Amino acid sequence: DTQLICSYHNYECVPSEQELKKIVARLLKKNPAILKIAAKAQCYKDLVTLQNISNDLHAKSIPSVVLAMGEYAASQRLLSPYRDALTYTCLDQEDTAAPGQIALREYRALQKKNTPKIFGILGGAQVATSFSPKIHNALFISHSIDSLYTTFPTSDLRDAWEGCTQLGVAGFSITAPWKQEILPFLDIVQGIAAELGSVNTVIKRDGKWVGENTDVAGIKQGYPSLRNRHHAVILGAGGVVPSVTAALKSLDVQTISVWARRT
C-alpha cells in the first residue's frame, strides 16, 4: 500500500519548459502517486515556466507538486496549498530545508481562502524581509477578502513586471527603487501620481494597469501634527521624497530640507 512520490530537484536553475516536460515524462514512467518538481528560480520568467508545467500537469489530472526555490519563490510557495496535491513547509523559518520555504505558522495564518487574488510589494532586495505581507494578509482575513499578499524583490524591473503580470498578479505596492521607473509600464497614471511622477500603488482595472500615489494622503492623515511647522527635515533621497515634500507643503510647513548621503 506504499505510495510513491517521484521528484526532481535542481538547486541551480529552472530548466527550459521543453526539458522539464522530458523530465516529467521520465518520472511518470515510475507510475508515482504524486509527481514533484522543485527548482531554483533565477528570475520571474522562471516562475512562469514552472507555472506552465504545473498547469499542464493539472490539465492532465496528474497529482503534482511544482515548487520554486530561492529569493523569487515567495508568491509561488504561498499559493502552493491551493494548487498542489500537497506542499512542503518548515516548522521555523530558521530551519528551512530548501531556500524559499515558508514557515508552517504563516500557512496556518492564511486559512479560509478559496481562489485568492494575488497582490504584493514590488521593490529591491530589501522587500524580501518586509512586514507588509503580515499586515495586508491580516487585514484581508479581518475583512473576509479572498486575497493574498506577498513580496516581489527584484533588481530587474522588466523581468519582474513581465513575469508577475503573466502569473496573474492583480496589483502591487511599489517601493524603492521603482517608484519612478514603473511609470513606462503603466497604461494610466492618475491624480497626484502623474503630477509628481511617483507611484506607490498599481492596480489592474478594466484590463488596464493604473498607477496611483497614496503616499501623500498617508503622510497628511498620519502626521497631522506637522501642520504649520516651521521646518521639516527629510532624511534620505529615495523615490518617496517627492510625495513627502508635496505632503509637507500641503500641511503648510514653511521650509523643507533633504539630507542624504553621497554614494
Side-chain angles (χ1 to χ4, degrees):
D1 296 324
T2 300
Q3 291 186 313
L4 184 67
I5 297 176
C6 256
S7 63
Y8 166 83
H9 289 74
N10 190 321
Y11 288 90
E12 300 296 327
C13 66
V14 174
S16 68
E17 191 170 332
Q18 183 178 9
E19 181 60 28
L20 281 173
K21 287 181 177 180
K22 292 179 181 178
I23 292 167
V24 166
R26 187 166 68 246
L27 293 176
L28 287 176
K29 291 180 180 179
K30 304 289 185 179
N31 195 31
I34 298 174
L35 185 147
K36 179 187 176 187
I37 300 288
K40 184 176 181 180
Q42 302 283 359
C43 59
Y44 285 92
K45 183 179 179 181
D46 287 342
L47 296 186
V48 175
T49 297
L50 290 173
Q51 179 165 293
N52 289 342
I53 292 296
S54 179
N55 291 342
D56 186 55
L57 291 168
H58 289 166
K60 296 174 181 177
S61 298
I62 298 172
S64 59
V65 184
V66 180
L67 295 172
M69 296 185 285
E71 61 182 313
Y72 302 110
S75 61
Q76 202 258 5
R77 289 267 178 172
L78 200 64
L79 283 169
S80 179
Y82 305 98
R83 295 178 174 173
D84 294 326
L86 52 86
T87 196
Y88 291 77
T89 184
C90 52
L91 294 180
D92 295 297
Q93 203 63 60
E94 295 75 22
D95 299 322
T96 56
Q101 247 181 15
I102 293 176
L104 180 60
R105 64 178 177 274
E106 292 191 39
Y107 281 127
R108 284 177 169 167
L110 299 173
Q111 293 176 351
K112 301 178 182 178
K113 302 291 181 181
N114 295 312
T115 54
K117 291 183 178 180
I118 298 298
F119 299 90
I121 182 167
L122 175 61
Q126 78 281 0
V127 304
T129 56
S130 171
F131 279 99
S132 290
K134 291 181 175 63
I135 295 168
H136 285 79
N137 285 322
L139 288 168
F140 287 156
I141 292 169
S142 176
H143 293 280
S144 301
I145 297 172
D146 194 24
S147 296
L148 292 171
Y149 193 97
T150 185
T151 57
F152 299 112
T154 187
S155 59
D156 184 339
L157 180 57
R158 180 169 294 278
D159 166 62
W161 179 260
E162 292 178 352
C164 289
T165 52
Q166 288 183 64
L167 291 168
V169 177
F172 305 88
S173 302
I174 308 296
T175 190
W178 308 125
K179 286 177 181 284
Q180 285 84 37
E181 286 78 358
I182 195 71
L183 294 172
F185 297 90
L186 307 179
D187 300 303
I188 301 170
V189 180
Q190 290 186 338
I192 198 167
E195 179 183 337
L196 298 175
S198 179
V199 166
N200 79 326
T201 303
V202 173
I203 296 290
K204 195 168 189 179
R205 294 196 184 106
D206 300 323
K208 295 185 181 296
W209 286 104
V210 180
E212 300 177 349
N213 184 309
T214 65
D215 285 329
V216 175
I219 293 165
K220 289 173 63 178
Q221 294 173 23
Y223 300 92
S225 60
L226 291 173
R227 183 171 296 280
N228 296 319
R229 293 288 179 173
H230 176 70
H231 189 197
V233 175
I234 302 170
L235 298 179
V240 75
V241 168
S243 301
V244 177
T245 302
L248 293 174
K249 288 181 178 178
S250 70
L251 290 169
D252 298 319
V253 175
Q254 295 180 36
T255 59
I256 302 166
S257 301
V258 178
W259 294 358
R261 295 177 296 176
R262 291 185 178 182
T263 57

